[in-house]
Amino acid sequence: MPVSQDTVSDWMSRFAESMREHRDELVRLDTAIGDGDHGTNMDRGMRKALERLGAQEQSDAGTVLKTVAMALVSSVGGAAGPLYGTLFLQMGTALAGKKEVDLQDYVAAWQKGVQGVQARGKAQAGDKTMVDALLPALQALEGASDLDSALQDAAAAAEQGMRDTIPLVARKGRASYLGERARDHQDPGATSTYYLFQTAAEALAR
Ligand code: ADP
Ligand code: MG
């Protein structure tokens, strides 16, 4: 089954719902190694994104993602808003004009998105950021042969990447100020990124 504009819209609704549902968990994680706003940031940004999606007809899958990107950039302060904004903007640009997206288009869009996040935030694997969930998920997508299993595998890989941030010391973002004290805590941004892939898999399986 291809990824349609409807699937992408449904994914964004589900991600917004997930950010609302997990807001307190993300706040708790960010309170431990940051300033405690990741859950409220993501919830506010995705609410704004849904408002904008509802206000205007979207012409294709790329436009949906670009609309979400603009909403995040304009309503979320802090590191994660612009980073998720870049992810969605790059993905949206890669999918511009496409009503139906096949596996190859979809993987290419994620590659662009992840490259954008890394170009903007300069985080590498193992720096204890959202990149630690994005990279293994992308690798799973690149190795997949069909879309449905691709997204299931990507979600599982993102979840593992999220858990693998627990023992790390942070080299980027606010948590990097804590040095050794950031160990034994799960990164909030890697956690929201896991939910991003989980909801992508759910939207496609629907
Ligand atoms: P802030 O840190 O400004 O308060 P948030 O709390 O919303 O912003 O987001 C924190 C998350 O942002 C971190 O858990 C981490 O995953 C991610 N992050 C921070 N800096 C970077 C970076 N340079 N590259 C990638 N991700 C980053
Ligand atoms: Mg924060």
Side-chain angles (χ1 to χ4, degrees):
M1 192 177 92
V3 176
S4 65
Q5 182 188 334
D6 268 0
T7 321
V8 173
S9 299
D10 185 46
W11 171 31
M12 289 297 106
S13 308
R14 285 170 190 270
F15 184 51
E17 172 69 26
S18 177
M19 291 299 94
R20 191 177 63 74
E21 189 184 327
H22 295 284
R23 182 182 59 213
D24 294 351
E25 178 199 1
L26 295 171
V27 161
R28 224 179 314 115
L29 292 171
D30 196 36
T31 299
I33 59 169
D35 57 356
D37 63 356
H38 189 58
T40 43
N41 282 345
M42 294 303 295
D43 179 37
R44 184 175 61 251
M46 288 308 298
R47 260 174 219 270
K48 193 50 130 188
L50 286 198
E51 265 171 40
R52 293 218 190 153
L53 287 177
Q56 215 189 326
E57 185 79 21
Q58 308 293 317
S59 55
D60 58 72
T63 315
V64 172
L65 292 173
K66 285 194 253 183
T67 300
V68 172
M70 293 313 173
L72 288 177
V73 169
S74 66
S75 67
V76 183
L83 289 166
Y84 274 103
T86 300
L87 177 74
F88 292 132
L89 184 64
Q90 292 299 321
M91 289 188 77
T93 305
L95 297 179
K98 290 192 192 290
K99 296 238 188 266
E100 301 253 297
V101 177
D102 64 15
L103 176 63
Q104 204 183 345
D105 296 330
Y106 192 65
V107 172
W110 275 105
Q111 285 169 335
K112 279 275 179 223
V114 175
Q115 276 166 17
V117 170
Q118 288 198 280
R120 180 152 193 152
K122 307 276 182 271
Q124 303 294 325
D127 285 351
K128 198 178 182 105
T129 71
M130 60 192 284
V131 167
D132 291 320
L134 285 171
L135 286 176
L138 178 61
Q139 216 173 23
L141 289 174
E142 287 167 346
S145 52
D146 70 277
L147 258 169
D148 297 81
S149 68
L151 274 168
Q152 300 291 342
D153 293 352
E159 183 174 20
Q160 187 59 51
M162 167 189 91
R163 297 206 191 291
D164 289 345
T165 64
I166 295 173
L168 298 174
V169 162
R171 287 189 290 248
K172 284 284 180 293
R174 285 180 198 280
S176 66
Y177 310 147
L178 293 178
E180 287 294 323
R181 280 181 292 144
R183 268 196 223 281
D184 300 326
H185 295 284
Q186 184 170 300
D187 180 62
T191 308
S192 53
T193 293
Y194 161 57
Y195 294 130
L196 181 67
F197 282 98
Q198 184 186 52
T199 52
E202 285 170 6
L204 194 67
R206 177 184 57 136

